[in-house]
Amino acid sequence: QVQPVESGGGLVQAGGSLRLSCAASEDTFSTYAVGWFRQAPAKERECVATINQSGGTAYADSVKGRFTISRDNAKVYLQMNRLTPEDTAVYSCGVASRKFTIGTLDAREYGTWGQGTQVTVSS
């Protein structure tokens, strides 16, 4: 699989918004589920949102109602609204290891990762 490439991170004030992008091949997104993950210092990696090849989505409780995952031909996006300092982390996208999975929030389902993009939310 082609390694995905993330972009769109940055510094934003609490209450603000950011949109992250994850670029890979069209074949990837039509075949594999993709998840957005985040990892803050001294914390475990957390899956915040997933989208499968059929467009089905799933969200962690911590971001429901604030984050939206979507997809077009060759990118998966994470629209993040009403950001809080607790959202500060390195965000990366992961591609499922097997084709046509449902796209759960379990990180063990994903095997190809991007380098990540830093999101910092100031109070």
Side-chain angles (χ1 to χ4, degrees):
Q1 292 185 18
V2 175
Q3 184 179 27
V5 179
E6 303 92 342
S7 61
L11 174 64
V12 64
Q13 287 188 334
S17 299
L18 280 175
R19 188 173 83 153
L20 307 182
S21 298
C22 171
S25 68
E26 287 188 49
D27 288 346
T28 297
F29 298 141
S30 65
T31 308
Y32 297 90
V34 175
W36 276 102
F37 297 78
R38 67 185 181 187
Q39 188 164 21
K43 291 189 177 181
E44 292 193 0
R45 178 183 281 166
E46 174 191 19
C47 183
V48 298
T50 67
I51 187 165
N52 63 28
Q53 60 286 337
S54 301
T57 59
Y59 295 92
D61 288 343
S62 58
V63 306
K64 275 182 185 176
R66 300 189 299 122
F67 291 11
T68 303
I69 190 170
S70 62
R71 185 185 68 199
D72 64 18
N73 287 342
K75 287 188 178 180
V76 170
Y77 303 96
L78 185 67
Q79 177 67 43
M80 305 185 295
N81 298 327
R82 304 200 308 274
L83 286 161
T84 73
E86 288 68 37
D87 296 314
T88 295
V90 174
Y91 285 71
S92 57
C93 59
V95 179
S97 299
R98 294 184 295 122
K99 295 180 180 181
F100 304 117
T101 57
I102 196 171
T104 71
L105 297 175
D106 187 345
R108 293 171 296 181
E109 181 178 328
Y110 303 84
T112 302
W113 302 91
Q115 294 294 321
T117 184
Q118 176 71 44
V119 171
T120 303
V121 184
S122 63
S123 57

